[in-house]
Amino acid sequence: MTDITLTHEPLDLPLSGVWRISRGSRTRAENVLVRLSWIDADGHAWEGQGEAAPYGYYGELRGTVTACLDEFATLLGNDPFAIEAILGRIEARVRHNTGAKAAVDMALHDLWGKILGRPVWQAWGLDASQGPVTSYSIGIDTPEAMGNRASALAEAGWPLIKLKVGTRDDIRCVSAVREAAPSVRLIIDANGAWTPREAISRLSELAQFGIEFCEQPCSSTDVAGLRFIRERSDIALVADESCATEEDIAALVGAVDGINIKLMKCGGLRRARRLIEVARANHLRVMCGCLIESSLAISAAAQLLPLLDYADLDGNLLLASDPFSGVTASHGRMVLGNGHGLGVTPRTIHTEA
């Protein structure tokens, strides 16, 4: 039996088009692929994989991720079943840097499941047939372009669409989408673009389009603003940027109706499950979202599906080419396979030195 070894390499993910939200736009994601290797007492070699999606808004870049991973490589020990102890040592060594931590967490769960010969969801005792459909996100664009995209998604059978908002054209854009796809369910995400009073006015105008909820209408640091909006709007609110870990939930109780978990915000599956438990205890709805990620990270998050009310796990669907195959989505319904660990296999992995 050997120590667990960690290696990492760049994972460049070009998008199929320009992705725009209220904070800016991007055409590619500079992620990091992590591999954990271990040889058991019988000499059998095992490997688990994880992915970090560093995002400047959360204080991470590819360089900070790789620096943290090099540090984490010395903390893994020789027991892949000691997930709590390993991740505890990692959290004690470096604060924040949750994308890097998430990659190691994913790889550990992948390794654990493969050794057990079970998918992670099954090892947790969950029912893969349960769980919500995933939304498909439409980034900020012209009303015509957003309407055309919504029409195509509706024709393809997607039942739930998420619209990025936060511009002067919000009403026209949402109206165009609703006209193009009258039967789909709609949610919106402002990514903190509005002041509380702007949010109240905008949500009042948008209510006519049958919006299920709005994510992060105002600044992530303005919890009082979220409470102010919730008291004056008929549209439910979900905290995204305001809720990174379970420690953030207490302040949000009464200010929002739900939270959006992301593995890259909280540090992986272990912390995500804590978030779900704390949110449930406080009668909050639970959503799991993503950044621009390959099917590796999306499949990791999808292990949580049976525990969720909402899912927004479409980051891999926005890519020009996905280097992994894993969880699939048909008409919004995600299918968790029986592949061991995270159930992910590589296609062609494009890396840069």
Side-chain angles (χ1 to χ4, degrees), residues 206-279:
L206 292 171
Q208 63 183 300
F209 302 116
I211 307 299
E212 287 196 22
F213 64 81
C214 174
E215 278 186 69
Q216 203 63 49
C218 65
S219 169
S220 61
T221 60
D222 192 0
V223 176
L226 288 171
R227 192 180 303 273
F228 182 81
I229 298 165
R230 185 171 183 255
E231 291 171 350
R232 293 161 177 81
S233 175
D234 293 329
I235 295 178
L237 304 184
V238 170
D240 181 355
E241 288 89 341
S242 293
C243 185
T245 72
E246 68 274 14
E247 297 166 355
D248 298 318
I249 290 179
L252 292 167
V253 174
V256 296
D257 301 280
I259 61 166
N260 184 357
I261 297 167
K262 291 190 175 96
L263 300 188
M264 302 302 163
K265 285 193 301 179
C266 70
L269 291 166
R270 168 176 167 265
R271 293 294 293 271
R273 293 198 68 178
R274 287 188 194 172
L275 270 157
I276 292 169
E277 291 170 1
V278 176

Side-chain angles (χ1 to χ4, degrees), residues 124 126 130-132 273 276 280 286 303-309:
W124 282 343
L126 302 179
Q130 302 300 306
R273 293 198 68 178
I276 292 169
R280 294 293 186 210
V286 179
Q303 305 300 310
L304 301 167
L305 277 171
L307 303 174
L308 306 176
D309 298 306

Side-chain angles (χ1 to χ4, degrees), residues 110-341:
D110 190 35
L111 183 61
W112 172 69
K114 287 174 177 174
I115 297 168
L116 291 176
R118 294 285 185 272
V120 168
W121 61 263
Q122 189 179 74
W124 282 343
L126 302 179
D127 182 352
S129 68
Q130 302 300 306
V133 298
T134 183
S135 59
Y136 197 115
S137 300
I138 299 178
I140 292 173
D141 209 323
T142 64
E144 180 182 12
M146 293 178 73
N148 290 340
R149 186 63 178 139
S151 178
L153 290 173
E155 288 181 11
W158 285 86
L160 179 62
I161 292 176
K162 173 175 167 177
L163 303 177
K164 292 293 188 177
V165 295
T167 74
R168 296 177 180 177
D169 274 342
D170 285 340
I171 305 304
R172 293 177 58 219
C173 289
V174 178
S175 177
V177 167
R178 178 50 82 202
E179 182 178 354
S183 299
V184 301
R185 296 160 54 202
L186 291 181
I187 57 180
I188 59 174
D189 183 4
N191 290 110
W194 301 322
T195 67
R197 292 194 180 278
E198 286 173 341
I200 292 167
S201 174
R202 199 63 58 87
L203 291 176
S204 177
E205 293 180 275
L206 292 171
Q208 63 183 300
F209 302 116
I211 307 299
E212 287 196 22
F213 64 81
C214 174
E215 278 186 69
Q216 203 63 49
C218 65
S219 169
S220 61
T221 60
D222 192 0
V223 176
L226 288 171
R227 192 180 303 273
F228 182 81
I229 298 165
R230 185 171 183 255
E231 291 171 350
R232 293 161 177 81
S233 175
D234 293 329
I235 295 178
L237 304 184
V238 170
D240 181 355
E241 288 89 341
S242 293
C243 185
T245 72
E246 68 274 14
E247 297 166 355
D248 298 318
I249 290 179
L252 292 167
V253 174
V256 296
D257 301 280
I259 61 166
N260 184 357
I261 297 167
K262 291 190 175 96
L263 300 188
M264 302 302 163
K265 285 193 301 179
C266 70
L269 291 166
R270 168 176 167 265
R271 293 294 293 271
R273 293 198 68 178
R274 287 188 194 172
L275 270 157
I276 292 169
E277 291 170 1
V278 176
R280 294 293 186 210
N282 286 282
H283 309 288
L284 292 169
R285 296 179 219 168
V286 179
M287 177 183 188
C288 186
C290 61
L291 299 177
I292 303 300
E293 302 162 3
S294 79
S295 283
L296 175 54
I298 296 297
S299 295
Q303 305 300 310
L304 301 167
L305 277 171
L307 303 174
L308 306 176
D309 298 306
Y310 295 95
D312 179 35
L313 299 175
D314 62 343
N316 57 328
L317 303 179
L318 305 177
L319 302 178
S321 177
D322 189 346
F324 293 94
S325 60
V327 64
T328 59
S330 177
H331 302 98
R333 178 63 61 185
M334 303 192 80
V335 179
L336 286 167
N338 292 313
H340 300 166

Side-chain angles (χ1 to χ4, degrees), residues 39-68:
I39 300 175
D40 65 23
D42 296 324
H44 188 93
W46 302 91
E47 183 179 89
Q49 298 183 103
E51 178 181 352
Y55 194 32
Y57 181 83
Y58 298 120
E60 286 188 290
L61 302 169
R62 180 181 277 172
T64 64
V65 167
T66 57
C68 285

